[in-house]
Amino acid sequence: AVLHKPFRSPEIFSALTQYLGIEFVYQHEAVVTSSAANLEISTEMLTRLPVELRQQLYAAALNLDMEETEITSGQIRNSFPTLAAGLQQLAEHYQFEKIIQLTEPVI
């Protein structure tokens, strides 16, 4: 199968199911996002960041680079601790697609 960037989780899982014949057991989404509920972040919050940081964050998420995402979140933490905490939670839950969606329009 050919999947194009940015990768979408449902497409990847669908291809794995189709070609490998495996079945995924999904955890209820409310459990995954409940800890991040306090730290909702928006595109508007990201517009306050310098362009370089938004671009670094976008590139890190696009490459699914946990280490670079953490480094960039650390740089953001100095000026915007709540935003950095929200980004960190998204990365910890492997919600890179959400980070991409948040940073893509502002670049």
Side-chain angles (χ1 to χ4, degrees):
V2 176
L3 302 175
H4 300 282
K5 285 186 178 180
F7 299 116
R8 308 270 187 243
S9 298
E11 293 172 356
I12 293 172
F13 292 127
S14 176
L16 289 171
T17 300
Q18 180 181 357
Y19 292 106
L20 298 179
I22 57 177
E23 182 179 326
F24 291 93
V25 178
Y26 295 94
Q27 185 177 18
H28 190 271
E29 189 172 334
V31 174
V32 174
T33 59
S34 63
S35 63
N38 304 352
L39 301 171
E40 277 296 317
I41 58 176
S42 65
T43 303
E44 292 77 28
M45 294 171 75
L46 289 165
T47 59
R48 292 183 270 161
L49 294 176
V51 174
E52 306 84 42
L53 281 178
R54 291 191 311 243
Q55 289 173 338
Q56 285 176 347
L57 186 60
Y58 177 77
L62 198 60
N63 293 319
L64 306 175
D65 188 336
M66 178 69 93
E67 184 177 343
E68 185 62 30
T69 302
E70 289 177 7
I71 290 169
T72 306
S73 293
Q75 293 171 341
I76 294 169
R77 187 170 289 111
N78 296 332
S79 302
F80 304 99
T82 304
L83 176 59
L87 291 168
Q88 187 66 37
Q89 279 192 345
L90 288 173
E92 287 172 359
H93 292 297
Y94 302 101
Q95 295 181 349
F96 291 103
E97 188 171 316
K98 177 77 173 174
I99 296 171
I100 291 167
Q101 290 171 352
L102 289 167
T103 54
E104 199 168 35
V106 295
I107 290 181

